[in-house]
Amino acid sequence: MADLGVVHHNRKKFDLALSYHTRALKLREATRPKDDLLIANSLRGIANAHWARREFPEALRTARQVLLIHQNLKPVNTANVATSWATLANIYHDSGDSARALELGVRAVVLLENSEPPNSPKLAAVYYNLAAFQLAKGELLEARYSFEKAFKIYSEIYPLSHPTRTTIANHIQNLTRLQRETAEKYLKDNHEKF
């Protein structure tokens, strides 16, 4: 059932995805012994379906449940915890809470930097999203740094012509231009008059 939820989500049939993930969750919760990882996966699917449907309170509530499960599993899988923080950050960002998104995005990056290999696609994706959160807060220098970190990783794993590399390179160029224009305007507006 969970696989059908993923298929329907990928087809952008979010009502069906939510239905299948919810049914899978009920089955997984009824199974003995309970498998908390499978339950978390079903909850993640439910959170993603609510997020796609722009039902932010439900998406956040369910994504927090996923995070709680991942934090309480022993041994703790730091990549799962970081992914949960990243998911929450994305939902907060889409719901308009840039400050919370930025806080959780930074946590996810720090945790992944300490638990994933340096060329991890997961780390690159979190850096890319962190850059978007930083841009939303007007933190141009930080956003450029995060885009550059994502670009470096993607350059190691994707060919030169890959669209993700091209997109990030364009973001970096645009930020460089914007930073230069901002600095020039500042100097023009604040120069000493003799």
Side-chain angles (χ1 to χ4, degrees), residues 158-175:
Y158 289 150
L160 184 61
S161 61
H162 194 279
T164 301
R165 283 183 64 175
T166 304
T167 299
I168 296 174
N170 288 337
H171 287 321
I172 293 169
Q173 283 180 332
N174 290 336
L175 273 171

Side-chain angles (χ1 to χ4, degrees), residues 66-152:
V66 175
L67 174 62
L68 191 60
I69 290 170
H70 285 151
Q71 287 174 324
N72 289 326
L73 284 174
K74 301 297 180 224
V76 173
N77 181 320
T78 54
N80 284 345
V81 172
T83 300
S84 293
W85 278 340
T87 299
L88 278 165
N90 288 330
I91 298 169
Y92 275 115
H93 178 71
D94 283 356
S95 70
D97 191 342
S98 302
R100 188 77 172 127
L102 184 57
E103 174 192 336
L104 293 172
V106 167
R107 279 189 196 176
V109 162
V110 169
L111 200 53
L112 284 174
E113 282 180 330
N114 292 315
S115 63
E116 290 286 303
N119 62 345
S120 164
K122 195 180 293 187
L123 180 58
V126 173
Y127 263 121
Y128 182 85
N129 290 337
L130 180 61
F133 310 152
Q134 291 163 326
L135 274 177
K137 296 285 291 171
E139 298 176 359
L140 303 183
L141 188 61
E142 293 85 350
R144 181 175 168 188
Y145 173 81
S146 295
F147 276 135
E148 287 171 347
K149 294 288 276 189
F151 184 77
K152 182 179 183 295

Side-chain angles (χ1 to χ4, degrees), residues 1-11 13 16-25 27-28 38 41-42 45:
M1 292 236 185
D3 290 340
L4 288 172
V6 171
V7 168
H8 286 298
H9 191 95
N10 290 339
R11 294 178 57 227
K13 304 287 185 188
L16 285 171
L18 182 59
S19 173
Y20 280 103
H21 285 302
T22 301
R23 285 195 255 173
L25 176 63
L27 288 172
R28 288 172 171 175
L38 290 177
N41 286 341
S42 290

